[in-house]
Amino acid sequence: DAGVTQSPTHLIKTRGQHVTLRCSPISGHKSVSWYQQVLGQGPQFIFQYYEKEERGRGNFPDRFSARQFPNYSSELNVNALLLGDSALYLCASSLARGEQYFGPGTRLTVT
Amino acid sequence: KQEVTQIPAALSVPEGENLVLNCSFTDSAIYNLQWFRQDPGKGLTSLLLIQSSQREQTSGRLNASLDKSSGRSTLYIAASQPGDSATYLCAVEGTGANNLFFGTGTRLTVIP
């Protein structure tokens, strides 16, 4: 059974551009969460979606947005990219609550 | 706001040694606690999950304990191997929203 998948694996963008990251949860999981991990730090919570509704939002600016589709996959969008947005973006899926399973991440580099 | 701390930040041990990683959290109102492993530049692999009502969980050479009242958890690794070299992250889920609060991790190196 496939785990959490994320695309793309790596991405290089220029300051001011926009980026879309994608995540497919484990089959049967209806909750998707997004985290940002900068080098040397633990992941920081960005968003959680459950049944296509936003259930939680971390302390990130409005440049960050997300949505969940009817098949429970999710997109994370970041507008007006800054150098500080360079990080590993992780997606996690779970049942309503409980153990969270992480994907391999998308490495975003902003130049 | 929940704060999670992991000590030590880095640890280097010879192969075969038993070791303990520590995690502390400031708010004892947690739903569960998870330990993860992360290899450089990779995603997180779940190792153990302890529900708030449990005291410990075991998987192979790994044993995690939870003392919710004192805000502490430990991850015990028996008979360490070079393949155990990675960063180990502790994360707690609150009783409200189910996002995880992470520590900054312990970077473990097991020397052959």
Side-chain angles (χ1 to χ4, degrees):
Chain A
D1 198 14
V4 179
T5 60
Q6 293 187 243
S7 64
T9 305
H10 296 92
L11 204 51
I12 299 175
K13 290 286 190 178
T14 303
R15 277 176 296 177
Q17 285 188 318
H18 162 271
V19 69
T20 298
L21 311 181
R22 295 177 176 83
C23 171
S24 292
I26 291 171
S27 178
H29 284 189
K30 298 180 179 181
S31 176
V32 171
S33 298
W34 288 94
Y35 293 82
Q36 180 197 64
Q37 186 180 26
V38 299
L39 201 61
Q41 299 295 316
Q44 297 290 317
F45 171 70
I46 309 175
F47 283 109
Q48 190 220 354
Y49 276 78
Y50 176 72
E51 289 277 21
K52 302 182 289 294
E53 290 190 3
E54 182 182 306
R55 288 297 182 90
R57 182 183 184 120
N59 188 25
F60 280 81
D62 291 344
R63 298 184 296 108
F64 288 76
S65 64
R67 55 179 175 167
Q68 187 177 33
F69 298 99
N71 66 353
Y72 304 112
S73 67
S74 178
E75 282 183 354
L76 175 69
N77 294 282
V78 187
N79 292 324
L81 286 166
L82 303 174
L83 294 179
D85 295 331
S86 295
L88 181 67
Y89 287 85
L90 296 162
C91 172
S93 80
S94 65
L95 298 171
R97 291 200 71 126
E99 190 165 6
Q100 297 201 25
Y101 298 86
F102 282 77
T106 293
R107 170 70 62 187
L108 172 65
T109 301
V110 182
T111 62
Chain B
K1 182 193 170 197
Q2 180 75 268
E3 301 281 348
V4 180
T5 303
Q6 291 188 246
I7 294 173
L11 182 64
S12 184
V13 300
E15 181 177 2
E17 194 162 296
N18 302 325
L19 58 101
V20 174
L21 307 181
N22 296 292
C23 172
S24 61
F25 47 95
T26 54
D27 185 350
S28 62
I30 65 169
Y31 186 77
N32 62 44
L33 183 145
Q34 260 184 282
W35 281 94
F36 294 90
R37 169 191 172 130
Q38 186 174 35
D39 293 293
K42 305 295 185 182
L44 278 58
T45 299
S46 179
L47 297 174
L48 290 165
L49 178 139
I50 311 178
Q51 300 288 356
S52 62
S53 58
Q54 297 175 316
R55 298 283 294 186
E56 66 178 326
Q57 280 287 345
T58 298
S59 175
R61 295 183 293 109
L62 305 180
N63 175 276
S65 68
L66 174 64
D67 184 343
K68 198 172 67 165
S69 62
S70 68
R72 295 176 188 275
S73 176
T74 62
L75 179 67
Y76 174 84
I77 302 177
S80 58
Q81 302 171 359
D84 294 332
S85 297
T87 295
Y88 291 80
L89 292 157
C90 164
V92 297
E93 179 178 343
T95 55
N98 72 321
N99 55 287
L100 296 176
F101 294 90
F102 283 85
T104 52
T106 294
R107 189 173 71 251
L108 173 66
T109 303
V110 181
I111 304 165

